[in-house]
Amino acid sequence: MSACASPYGATGPDDRAAIARNGFSADDVGYVLFDPDSGAVLAERQPAKPFAPASVAKLPAMAAALAVLGPDHRFETTLHVTGRLGDGVLDGDLILKGGGDPSLSSEGLTELLRDLGALGVTRVTGRFLYDTSALPEMAEIDAGQPWTAGYNTGVGALSLNFNRFRFDWARPAAAGQPVRVGAWSVSDTGRVPLDSVTVQLGAGAGAAFTPLAAAVGDPEGERWRFAPQPGMAASLWLPVTRPGLATAHVFRRLAAEAGIALPAPAPGAAPPTATLAALHRSEPLEVLARQVLRYSNNLSAELIGLAAARRLDPAVRTLPESAAVLTAPAMLAAPRTDWTGLRLLNHSGLSAASRITPAQTMALIQSAGPAVLALLPGEDEGKVLPPGVRAKSGTLAYAKALAGTLTTASGRTLGFAFFVTDEERRAAMDRTMDRRIAEIPPEARAWLARARKLQADLLELWIAGL
């Protein structure tokens, strides 16, 4: 197979027919195919051009977190008490403290309550506090996403059930009766009413859901306006924007079911003199990182990345700061790489403004090492990749990416980083974005279908030709 000598500077197997066949300009595409051991580049196109990484950003984030925290690191959620306990009554405070566990579920809270019940506690006369001081709390990952996007949740040290809630509604059975609505925190074993969410019914055409502004520290939590629309589903997932308060409310509900009466939750910190009453630990970070790379959960990536960045710099308060801190060690380890244009605004890749070049991605893959690359899945958004391909995929409207390793027909293991982006269409979409609309435009879906076909064609070309 001939090498490409196009004016776009590509080398390696001739990719021009595949790019044209799928309706792309050569200027839209960038990639590097390389030997992960020697770093020798075997094929490339626009290796120095910045592209939107989408969820490919999760690969360097997980690699850095594993290096900083260690594969055996476990996130802890704890219960603390003050005062004295007598006759089942805690005459003092109960504090639920988050440690940034991305996998915390209702079942984990139940374990904490089981240990609290074993101490004989049935009632608390003081305060029930929730402590989120371990990490900064944010209402959303990216401000450029639809309000109702269940993948753009709040972030905080007390995050539960992936910070999503299920909203159910039903039209009245008879005239004059109200629309029935419900908000639920859902885990594998059931659902719990989410008391931190208030839904205000409205009417009229347009958006079904609109978030309503609330005062900072509002004990009522988050509020939504709901206007039923013709043909809409009776159930959908919505993001939790105040995760600490939501987790505390679910804990209080579960406590009541366990026979433990708690006052309404309030924010607060566990004092140094408080006694540890119960501890829940997550699975090891290696297990959590493998899940992030396979299922691409944005919240999990952000929480893991934040924890690692704050281990390096406790002053980190924002996701862009956190991403910068976490990529710095890999950048220092590859001084010959041109890092110009690198801009990662978070750890999940949920941002149309983040940028990375194929060559920079190559350096980060090499920095990750074989142990991290072994965690990569053999699938792209649930669809099986060709045999021998293990990679992290990324998808945004008008941006597609894939990075990882492949095995060629001759048995060689190579690293690769592939990107295709339509900058003009993405910019036009962002300029006219309406946060009330969650659906991706039909033309963007068609573009992504072509991008996936180009990705498949290039993988086939590389596997067969090298």
PDB file of all heavy atoms in Angstrom, residues 271-291:
ATOM      1  N   PRO A 271     -16.108  18.361  63.131  1.00  0.00           N
ATOM      2  CA  PRO A 271     -15.019  18.923  63.940  1.00  0.00           C
ATOM      3  C   PRO A 271     -13.948  17.874  64.207  1.00  0.00           C
ATOM      4  O   PRO A 271     -14.227  16.664  64.194  1.00  0.00           O
ATOM      5  CB  PRO A 271     -15.724  19.341  65.229  1.00  0.00           C
ATOM      6  CG  PRO A 271     -16.924  18.474  65.309  1.00  0.00           C
ATOM      7  CD  PRO A 271     -17.365  18.231  63.898  1.00  0.00           C
ATOM      8  N   PRO A 272     -12.713  18.313  64.456  1.00  0.00           N
ATOM      9  CA  PRO A 272     -11.630  17.346  64.717  1.00  0.00           C
ATOM     10  C   PRO A 272     -11.914  16.450  65.918  1.00  0.00           C
ATOM     11  O   PRO A 272     -11.366  15.341  66.001  1.00  0.00           O
ATOM     12  CB  PRO A 272     -10.417  18.247  64.968  1.00  0.00           C
ATOM     13  CG  PRO A 272     -10.754  19.553  64.321  1.00  0.00           C
ATOM     14  CD  PRO A 272     -12.237  19.696  64.440  1.00  0.00           C
ATOM     15  N   THR A 273     -12.760  16.916  66.834  1.00  0.00           N
ATOM     16  CA  THR A 273     -13.039  16.140  68.042  1.00  0.00           C
ATOM     17  C   THR A 273     -14.157  15.112  67.846  1.00  0.00           C
ATOM     18  O   THR A 273     -14.442  14.342  68.763  1.00  0.00           O
ATOM     19  CB  THR A 273     -13.442  17.095  69.176  1.00  0.00           C
ATOM     20  OG1 THR A 273     -14.548  17.914  68.739  1.00  0.00           O
ATOM     21  CG2 THR A 273     -12.273  18.004  69.554  1.00  0.00           C
ATOM     22  N   ALA A 274     -14.798  15.112  66.669  1.00  0.00           N
ATOM     23  CA  ALA A 274     -15.891  14.174  66.434  1.00  0.00           C
ATOM     24  C   ALA A 274     -15.363  12.741  66.390  1.00  0.00           C
ATOM     25  O   ALA A 274     -14.214  12.481  66.022  1.00  0.00           O
ATOM     26  CB  ALA A 274     -16.599  14.520  65.131  1.00  0.00           C
ATOM     27  N   THR A 275     -16.229  11.808  66.770  1.00  0.00           N
ATOM     28  CA  THR A 275     -15.869  10.390  66.792  1.00  0.00           C
ATOM     29  C   THR A 275     -16.341   9.714  65.518  1.00  0.00           C
ATOM     30  O   THR A 275     -17.485   9.908  65.083  1.00  0.00           O
ATOM     31  CB  THR A 275     -16.521   9.693  67.997  1.00  0.00           C
ATOM     32  OG1 THR A 275     -16.061  10.320  69.195  1.00  0.00           O
ATOM     33  CG2 THR A 275     -16.175   8.211  68.028  1.00  0.00           C
ATOM     34  N   LEU A 276     -15.459   8.925  64.904  1.00  0.00           N
ATOM     35  CA  LEU A 276     -15.836   8.163  63.717  1.00  0.00           C
ATOM     36  C   LEU A 276     -16.800   7.054  64.117  1.00  0.00           C
ATOM     37  O   LEU A 276     -16.477   6.216  64.960  1.00  0.00           O
ATOM     38  CB  LEU A 276     -14.595   7.567  63.051  1.00  0.00           C
ATOM     39  CG  LEU A 276     -14.836   6.699  61.814  1.00  0.00           C
ATOM     40  CD1 LEU A 276     -15.391   7.536  60.667  1.00  0.00           C
ATOM     41  CD2 LEU A 276     -13.541   5.994  61.393  1.00  0.00           C
ATOM     42  N   ALA A 277     -17.978   7.047  63.501  1.00  0.00           N
ATOM     43  CA  ALA A 277     -19.000   6.058  63.845  1.00  0.00           C
ATOM     44  C   ALA A 277     -19.174   4.992  62.774  1.00  0.00           C
ATOM     45  O   ALA A 277     -19.582   3.859  63.089  1.00  0.00           O
ATOM     46  CB  ALA A 277     -20.351   6.755  64.081  1.00  0.00           C
ATOM     47  N   ALA A 278     -18.904   5.311  61.517  1.00  0.00           N
ATOM     48  CA  ALA A 278     -19.072   4.339  60.441  1.00  0.00           C
ATOM     49  C   ALA A 278     -18.248   4.768  59.238  1.00  0.00           C
ATOM     50  O   ALA A 278     -17.982   5.958  59.035  1.00  0.00           O
ATOM     51  CB  ALA A 278     -20.548   4.213  60.056  1.00  0.00           C
ATOM     52  N   LEU A 279     -17.840   3.790  58.428  1.00  0.00           N
ATOM     53  CA  LEU A 279     -16.968   4.040  57.289  1.00  0.00           C
ATOM     54  C   LEU A 279     -17.394   3.166  56.119  1.00  0.00           C
ATOM     55  O   LEU A 279     -17.597   1.962  56.276  1.00  0.00           O
ATOM     56  CB  LEU A 279     -15.506   3.744  57.661  1.00  0.00           C
ATOM     57  CG  LEU A 279     -14.482   3.631  56.534  1.00  0.00           C
ATOM     58  CD1 LEU A 279     -14.262   4.992  55.886  1.00  0.00           C
ATOM     59  CD2 LEU A 279     -13.163   3.077  57.069  1.00  0.00           C
ATOM     60  N   HIS A 280     -17.551   3.785  54.939  1.00  0.00           N
ATOM     61  CA  HIS A 280     -17.806   3.039  53.703  1.00  0.00           C
ATOM     62  C   HIS A 280     -16.682   3.335  52.731  1.00  0.00           C
ATOM     63  O   HIS A 280     -16.342   4.491  52.501  1.00  0.00           O
ATOM     64  CB  HIS A 280     -19.147   3.425  53.083  1.00  0.00           C
ATOM     65  CG  HIS A 280     -19.349   2.830  51.713  1.00  0.00           C
ATOM     66  ND1 HIS A 280     -19.695   1.504  51.531  1.00  0.00           N
ATOM     67  CD2 HIS A 280     -19.241   3.370  50.466  1.00  0.00           C
ATOM     68  CE1 HIS A 280     -19.799   1.260  50.238  1.00  0.00           C
ATOM     69  NE2 HIS A 280     -19.528   2.373  49.568  1.00  0.00           N
ATOM     70  N   ARG A 281     -16.106   2.284  52.144  1.00  0.00           N
ATOM     71  CA  ARG A 281     -14.996   2.450  51.204  1.00  0.00           C
ATOM     72  C   ARG A 281     -15.404   1.961  49.822  1.00  0.00           C
ATOM     73  O   ARG A 281     -16.105   0.955  49.681  1.00  0.00           O
ATOM     74  CB  ARG A 281     -13.761   1.685  51.688  1.00  0.00           C
ATOM     75  CG  ARG A 281     -13.329   2.041  53.103  1.00  0.00           C
ATOM     76  CD  ARG A 281     -12.120   1.230  53.506  1.00  0.00           C
ATOM     77  NE  ARG A 281     -10.907   1.745  52.896  1.00  0.00           N
ATOM     78  CZ  ARG A 281      -9.804   1.016  52.678  1.00  0.00           C
ATOM     79  NH1 ARG A 281      -9.802  -0.266  52.997  1.00  0.00           N
ATOM     80  NH2 ARG A 281      -8.733   1.544  52.137  1.00  0.00           N
ATOM     81  N   SER A 282     -14.947   2.676  48.809  1.00  0.00           N
ATOM     82  CA  SER A 282     -15.230   2.292  47.435  1.00  0.00           C
ATOM     83  C   SER A 282     -14.364   1.110  47.015  1.00  0.00           C
ATOM     84  O   SER A 282     -13.459   0.695  47.740  1.00  0.00           O
ATOM     85  CB  SER A 282     -14.948   3.461  46.492  1.00  0.00           C
ATOM     86  OG  SER A 282     -13.538   3.664  46.353  1.00  0.00           O
ATOM     87  N   GLU A 283     -14.619   0.593  45.833  1.00  0.00           N
ATOM     88  CA  GLU A 283     -13.706  -0.372  45.239  1.00  0.00           C
ATOM     89  C   GLU A 283     -12.390   0.327  44.910  1.00  0.00           C
ATOM     90  O   GLU A 283     -12.321   1.564  44.853  1.00  0.00           O
ATOM     91  CB  GLU A 283     -14.323  -0.972  43.976  1.00  0.00           C
ATOM     92  CG  GLU A 283     -15.504  -1.885  44.239  1.00  0.00           C
ATOM     93  CD  GLU A 283     -15.967  -2.573  42.968  1.00  0.00           C
ATOM     94  OE1 GLU A 283     -16.642  -1.907  42.155  1.00  0.00           O
ATOM     95  OE2 GLU A 283     -15.652  -3.770  42.791  1.00  0.00           O
ATOM     96  N   PRO A 284     -11.316  -0.424  44.656  1.00  0.00           N
ATOM     97  CA  PRO A 284     -10.026   0.208  44.337  1.00  0.00           C
ATOM     98  C   PRO A 284     -10.124   1.087  43.091  1.00  0.00           C
ATOM     99  O   PRO A 284     -10.919   0.848  42.185  1.00  0.00           O
ATOM    100  CB  PRO A 284      -9.095  -0.986  44.101  1.00  0.00           C
ATOM    101  CG  PRO A 284      -9.718  -2.110  44.856  1.00  0.00           C
ATOM    102  CD  PRO A 284     -11.198  -1.893  44.754  1.00  0.00           C
ATOM    103  N   LEU A 285      -9.277   2.096  43.040  1.00  0.00           N
ATOM    104  CA  LEU A 285      -9.280   3.030  41.929  1.00  0.00           C
ATOM    105  C   LEU A 285      -9.076   2.332  40.593  1.00  0.00           C
ATOM    106  O   LEU A 285      -9.657   2.741  39.573  1.00  0.00           O
ATOM    107  CB  LEU A 285      -8.195   4.094  42.138  1.00  0.00           C
ATOM    108  CG  LEU A 285      -8.033   5.136  41.032  1.00  0.00           C
ATOM    109  CD1 LEU A 285      -9.335   5.861  40.757  1.00  0.00           C
ATOM    110  CD2 LEU A 285      -6.924   6.117  41.389  1.00  0.00           C
ATOM    111  N   GLU A 286      -8.281   1.297  40.559  1.00  0.00           N
ATOM    112  CA  GLU A 286      -8.069   0.580  39.298  1.00  0.00           C
ATOM    113  C   GLU A 286      -9.385   0.066  38.730  1.00  0.00           C
ATOM    114  O   GLU A 286      -9.627   0.132  37.516  1.00  0.00           O
ATOM    115  CB  GLU A 286      -7.098  -0.582  39.496  1.00  0.00           C
ATOM    116  CG  GLU A 286      -6.756  -1.318  38.212  1.00  0.00           C
ATOM    117  CD  GLU A 286      -5.728  -2.402  38.426  1.00  0.00           C
ATOM    118  OE1 GLU A 286      -5.621  -2.923  39.566  1.00  0.00           O
ATOM    119  OE2 GLU A 286      -5.017  -2.737  37.466  1.00  0.00           O
ATOM    120  N   VAL A 287     -10.261  -0.431  39.597  1.00  0.00           N
ATOM    121  CA  VAL A 287     -11.578  -0.910  39.166  1.00  0.00           C
ATOM    122  C   VAL A 287     -12.427   0.261  38.688  1.00  0.00           C
ATOM    123  O   VAL A 287     -13.089   0.189  37.638  1.00  0.00           O
ATOM    124  CB  VAL A 287     -12.287  -1.651  40.321  1.00  0.00           C
ATOM    125  CG1 VAL A 287     -13.717  -2.025  39.928  1.00  0.00           C
ATOM    126  CG2 VAL A 287     -11.494  -2.895  40.707  1.00  0.00           C
ATOM    127  N   LEU A 288     -12.426   1.358  39.437  1.00  0.00           N
ATOM    128  CA  LEU A 288     -13.217   2.527  39.062  1.00  0.00           C
ATOM    129  C   LEU A 288     -12.726   3.126  37.747  1.00  0.00           C
ATOM    130  O   LEU A 288     -13.529   3.551  36.913  1.00  0.00           O
ATOM    131  CB  LEU A 288     -13.162   3.575  40.173  1.00  0.00           C
ATOM    132  CG  LEU A 288     -13.670   3.138  41.546  1.00  0.00           C
ATOM    133  CD1 LEU A 288     -13.526   4.284  42.543  1.00  0.00           C
ATOM    134  CD2 LEU A 288     -15.116   2.678  41.479  1.00  0.00           C
ATOM    135  N   ALA A 289     -11.395   3.182  37.551  1.00  0.00           N
ATOM    136  CA  ALA A 289     -10.844   3.735  36.316  1.00  0.00           C
ATOM    137  C   ALA A 289     -11.229   2.887  35.118  1.00  0.00           C
ATOM    138  O   ALA A 289     -11.553   3.412  34.039  1.00  0.00           O
ATOM    139  CB  ALA A 289      -9.325   3.844  36.428  1.00  0.00           C
ATOM    140  N   ARG A 290     -11.215   1.573  35.271  1.00  0.00           N
ATOM    141  CA  ARG A 290     -11.638   0.692  34.180  1.00  0.00           C
ATOM    142  C   ARG A 290     -13.099   0.974  33.805  1.00  0.00           C
ATOM    143  O   ARG A 290     -13.464   1.001  32.623  1.00  0.00           O
ATOM    144  CB  ARG A 290     -11.470  -0.775  34.584  1.00  0.00           C
ATOM    145  CG  ARG A 290     -11.805  -1.763  33.459  1.00  0.00           C
ATOM    146  CD  ARG A 290     -11.822  -3.197  33.965  1.00  0.00           C
ATOM    147  NE  ARG A 290     -10.521  -3.626  34.426  1.00  0.00           N
ATOM    148  CZ  ARG A 290      -9.587  -4.155  33.645  1.00  0.00           C
ATOM    149  NH1 ARG A 290      -9.824  -4.282  32.351  1.00  0.00           N
ATOM    150  NH2 ARG A 290      -8.434  -4.546  34.145  1.00  0.00           N
ATOM    151  N   GLN A 291     -13.931   1.201  34.810  1.00  0.00           N
ATOM    152  CA  GLN A 291     -15.342   1.495  34.545  1.00  0.00           C
ATOM    153  C   GLN A 291     -15.499   2.836  33.836  1.00  0.00           C
ATOM    154  O   GLN A 291     -16.324   2.969  32.922  1.00  0.00           O
ATOM    155  CB  GLN A 291     -16.121   1.487  35.861  1.00  0.00           C
ATOM    156  CG  GLN A 291     -16.217   0.108  36.503  1.00  0.00           C
ATOM    157  CD  GLN A 291     -16.784   0.152  37.902  1.00  0.00           C
ATOM    158  OE1 GLN A 291     -16.937   1.220  38.504  1.00  0.00           O
ATOM    159  NE2 GLN A 291     -17.097  -1.012  38.463  1.00  0.00           N
TER     160      GLN A 291
END
